[in-house]
Every structure is written in C-alpha cells, then in structure tokens.
Amino acid sequence: MTKENIVPIVLSGGTGSRLWPLSRELNPKQFQKLISDQSMLQETLSRLKGVADLDTSVVVCNEAHRFLVAEQLRNMGIENASIILEPKGRNTAPAIAVAALDLLSHNNCDPIMLILPADHVISDISQFHQAIGIGCELASEGKLVTFGIVPNRPETGYGYIRQGKSITENSYQVAAFVEKPDSNVAQSYLDSGDYLWNSGMFMFRCSSFLSELESLQNDIYAHTKAAIDKAKKDNDFIRLDKDSFLASPSDSIDYAVMEKTEHAVVIPLDAGWSDVGAWDSLWDVSIKDEQGNFLSGDILTEQVSNTYIHADEKLVAAVGIDNCVIVETADAVLVADKSHAQSVKQIVEKLKEQKREEVLLHQQVFRPWGSYETLVEQLRFKVKRIIVTPGSSLSLQMHHHRAEHWVVVHGTAKVTQ
C-alpha cells in the first residue's frame, strides 16, 4: 500500500444539533475543537498521515460551510484538496457519487476512495491504519469495503452489520445490514459476537462503486453525473449544477448500494471509535481527572464528579453535582444531566421555532476575508471586532443612514474611499 493508492473523501455535512451550544448550524461540530487543539475535520485528515496523500483529499460539504472548510484545510497546510459544494444535502450516496465522478473526470488512474465522516473520533491510530491496509487490498480486487465497529455495549442508537462468511482472517462477507434495535435485541447482538456497529466508513475503487451505483440506483448515478458534468469551478470550490443534483433521489450508500451489492465486505475495527453524537459520548472519549471530570476553560469545582464542563469566556464554578454537562459560550449556557444528553436536540428545535439566532451562529461569524464578532449591540449603535486574513479585503460599501468608525489595533490596513 502506497500513499498514492488512497484518496480521502471526507463527508462534512450535518449540524450536530445534540452538541449545541458549541455546535451551530453554520458552524457545526466537525469544525469545533472538541477533543484536541484541532477541529474534528482536521483530526479526521491528520490521522491519515502515513497512509494517504492529504493534498489529494476531497471534502464534500454544505455551501454555507465552504469558507470554514477552506480555512481549516489551509491551516493544516493542505493546499490542493478539492472542495465540492452541495446546494442541499441529498444523503451519502449522491455525495460519494459526485466525489467519485469528479476524481475520474480529471485523473488518469482509478483511485481507491476512503470515505470518512468528518466528525468521528478514533483513538487507536495504529489499528485504524492496519484496517485501512486490509481494506486497500480488498478494494483493489473490486470489493466494496465497510468498517464495522466491534461493539462493547448493547447500543440502541446505531445500525448494525451482521458478519457472514470469512474472506480473510480479518474480513467477512456482509450478511445483512440491520436497523437500530431495541435494548433486548441489541443485547442479543452483543452476546452473539456476529454483529458490528455500522460506522459509516467505506473503501472502494471509484469505478467499482460507480458501476454498482449505475446498476442498482441509476437515477442517482445519472443525476449526479449531470451535476458534475455541468459543475463550475469557483476559486477553491467545485459548484455542482443545482438542478441536476437536487433531481437526484436522497439516499444513503447503505440503502442505495451496500445492502444490494454482492461485493460488500466488512472489516471489524476495534480502535476506540465514537461518532460523538451527544455530550455524554464526548465525555466518554475525553481525558478525565481523578473525579471523572472533563474540564476545559476557567473552571472551579467543589465536590463535582463524572461531569463535563466547558467554558469559553467566563469563569464557571460548580458545586456538589454529579453526572452533568455544563457548556458556556459567549451567547448561551447549557446545563443538563448527562443521562439526558440526547434531549438537547429538543432545545435546538425550540430555538428554531422561536427563530433564535443562537441556533445558527456563534458570536464570531466567518466570512471569505476573515471573521467578525459583535461585542456590543444597543439602540442606535453596534461595536464589532473584525479580523481580516492577511492579504484579504472586505467589499467596498456605502451607507446613507449610518456612520462607521474604524480603529486598526493590529497590523496595517489600506482603506479605499
């Protein structure tokens, strides 16, 4: 296996609503630094060093997130990655299809795609790399590979994959994809040893996937091909043809291809995986102190245990609590019992009903030229802190009914009148 064999395809859709208030619709969890000093998107790519050339990466994302993706890739030193913009999410099958079609349209080879969600955690990188090596060999033979997570509990929140006949020592035919079970069925799956969690990670040659997609779901193939054929390059971005892409059925790769193909293979993966779907699962994978607490920011505790506390800007003090989540940001504070972490999604729904901006944006808002943050807003005046990326510029503007005063506090600015 060489680095040139594998092209990382990162699916960066989703809003991560159960990780509100850190995750917002226009700045969701994959762009947040939840585990380390890198965002989850950056972590996803960083863990591929040594097995893939990151400059060949393809990121498929929502158009609204394009500047976040571009800036985070740039901060990693990744200069030549492709960023494909979805006008609207159509699930994973169309997203993977446009990535495969784009790769084949400008490559003289037929690369192996490694499909990864942008918002998962994998702690054992060595085991992950070993699984990728096995997957690469199988994909080169025309197999459609998925990675199944070895379960450690009777989880009801994931779909499952039932292992079939052994192909190699570390790979199996896929006997079936199974929907999320109830607790009793999940326990039976765990006891049997034949079931794996569906990770949403895949590996196959572009041509192998597209051939199966064309045969099994021709509507998706035809419309995504048209979306790529009519796509336009816009600076760092590939803009899909909107009408063609939205004409595609919305379907997951599981339903569209993997459940129907005769070439599906699963590789068991036991590498400290988590999809970090809510605050309790983030606490699970975080490094904790002797009391079982994860603390990030300016925090004081007294008689606190098994608790996740994150403070962005203010001092957070907690006394006499157990099994809780406290998250402080500039414009919102969440306090929850960890056992009710999934219910944060209902709070987000209420925010949407009330048309609250806190569901969409943080106070710091990213733009092509940098970012701005509203510091104070009162009747008839507003104060913003603006950060301009070196070499970038804001658009020329003229206002008839307000006056603006600018103070440059760092760097040198050129002002055009």
Side-chain angles (χ1 to χ4, degrees):
M1 181 179 67
T2 63
K3 291 196 296 184
E4 289 72 28
N5 290 132
I6 300 170
V7 175
I9 311 296
V10 180
L11 305 182
S12 185
T15 59
S17 58
R18 283 171 296 212
L19 287 176
W20 184 89
L22 280 188
S23 183
R24 311 283 175 104
E25 282 193 16
L26 296 183
N27 196 355
K29 70 173 182 176
Q30 58 265 35
F31 305 117
Q32 305 298 323
K33 299 176 181 178
L34 299 180
I35 301 297
S36 70
D37 59 358
Q38 287 190 310
S39 73
M40 299 194 77
L41 170 64
Q42 292 170 325
E43 287 271 3
T44 298
L45 288 166
S46 289
R47 70 175 67 106
L48 299 179
K49 290 177 180 177
V51 297
D53 180 358
L54 300 188
D55 267 331
T56 68
S57 302
V58 179
V59 181
V60 184
C61 70
N62 188 303
E63 185 168 341
H65 301 154
R66 62 194 185 279
F67 300 121
L68 284 166
V69 171
E71 182 64 19
Q72 293 202 354
L73 295 182
R74 198 157 34 240
N75 288 342
M76 295 180 69
I78 300 175
E79 301 290 342
N80 299 314
S82 297
I83 303 173
I84 300 177
L85 306 181
E86 294 181 301
K88 185 178 180 181
R90 307 300 288 158
N91 216 317
T92 53
I96 295 168
V98 293
L101 288 160
D102 181 63
L103 283 173
L104 286 183
S105 71
H106 57 73
N107 273 285
N108 295 323
C109 60
D110 182 12
I112 292 173
M113 307 167 69
L114 175 59
I115 314 296
L116 300 170
D119 54 1
H120 291 183
V121 168
I122 295 175
S123 58
D124 191 334
I125 306 303
S126 176
Q127 285 292 324
F128 183 48
H129 285 188
Q130 288 183 37
I132 291 173
I134 298 167
C136 188
E137 293 180 7
L138 292 165
S140 68
E141 298 170 1
K143 301 296 185 183
L144 304 188
V145 178
T146 185
F147 298 90
I149 306 303
V150 177
N152 57 16
R153 62 183 184 274
E155 176 61 54
T156 60
Y158 300 143
Y160 284 71
I161 299 170
R162 181 160 60 86
Q163 297 176 178
K165 181 181 176 182
S166 174
I167 296 176
T168 68
E169 182 181 355
N170 297 300
S171 65
Y172 301 84
Q173 291 179 350
V174 172
F177 283 81
V178 184
E179 296 292 338
K180 297 175 183 177
D182 61 30
S183 57
N184 290 332
V185 173
Q187 184 64 56
S188 72
Y189 289 171
L190 183 65
D191 294 340
S192 77
D194 294 329
Y195 290 81
L196 305 165
W197 292 338
N198 187 353
S199 71
M201 299 187 291
F202 305 91
M203 202 170 187
F204 33 68
R205 284 203 185 279
C206 291
S207 60
S208 300
F209 170 70
L210 291 173
S211 175
E212 290 296 282
L213 182 69
E214 185 177 16
S215 172
L216 298 170
Q217 284 288 349
N218 186 257
D219 277 356
I220 295 177
Y221 176 82
H223 290 301
T224 53
K225 189 174 188 308
I228 281 291
D229 289 344
K230 300 175 186 177
K232 296 179 180 178
K233 191 76 185 297
D234 177 14
N235 295 323
D236 295 331
F237 312 112
I238 298 168
R239 292 184 178 274
L240 299 172
D241 180 69
K242 182 177 181 179
D243 291 340
S244 299
F245 190 71
L246 294 185
S248 169
S250 177
D251 206 352
S252 71
I253 182 177
D254 302 49
Y255 288 131
V257 174
M258 297 300 289
E259 291 188 0
K260 300 179 176 71
T261 182
E262 296 179 356
H263 306 292
V265 176
V266 62
I267 296 172
L269 178 64
D270 189 2
W273 174 91
S274 173
D275 70 344
V276 195
W279 289 113
D280 56 341
S281 58
L282 181 56
W283 176 84
D284 283 339
V285 299
S286 298
I287 297 174
K288 296 171 276 289
D289 62 19
E290 293 179 356
Q291 287 72 45
N293 299 319
F294 172 83
L295 309 176
S296 174
D298 190 7
I299 298 166
L300 290 175
T301 63
E302 183 65 32
Q303 299 179 50
V304 173
S305 57
N306 304 312
T307 289
Y308 184 102
I309 307 179
H310 173 101
D312 266 350
E313 299 200 353
K314 299 177 179 65
L315 165 67
V316 172
V319 179
I321 59 174
D322 175 64
N323 203 52
C324 289
V325 173
I326 302 173
V327 182
E328 178 270 335
T329 66
D331 60 349
V333 177
L334 170 72
V335 180
D337 188 293
K338 192 143 50 69
S339 63
H340 291 271
Q342 298 290 334
S343 300
V344 173
K345 192 171 184 178
Q346 277 69 63
I347 294 292
V348 172
E349 292 302 318
K350 290 181 179 180
L351 290 170
K352 288 180 179 179
E353 291 171 4
Q354 298 174 19
K355 296 181 169 49
R356 299 279 301 249
E357 280 199 353
E358 290 90 344
V359 77
L360 293 172
L361 297 163
H362 289 278
Q363 284 197 326
Q364 185 179 18
V365 180
F366 290 88
R367 288 291 182 259
W369 40 261
S371 65
Y372 71 85
E373 181 179 0
T374 300
L375 302 179
V376 181
E377 183 170 8
Q378 298 291 338
L379 183 64
R380 300 181 66 82
F381 80 93
K382 180 186 294 188
V383 180
K384 288 183 178 179
R385 175 167 54 207
I386 297 174
I387 300 173
V388 182
T389 304
S392 298
S393 60
L394 282 70
S395 58
L396 291 172
Q397 299 178 25
M398 181 176 67
H399 304 289
H400 293 288
H401 302 294
R402 77 173 190 235
E404 291 192 358
H405 303 273
W406 296 67
V407 179
V408 179
V409 297
H410 184 73
T412 303
K414 180 180 178 180
V415 180
T416 302
Q417 288 186 314

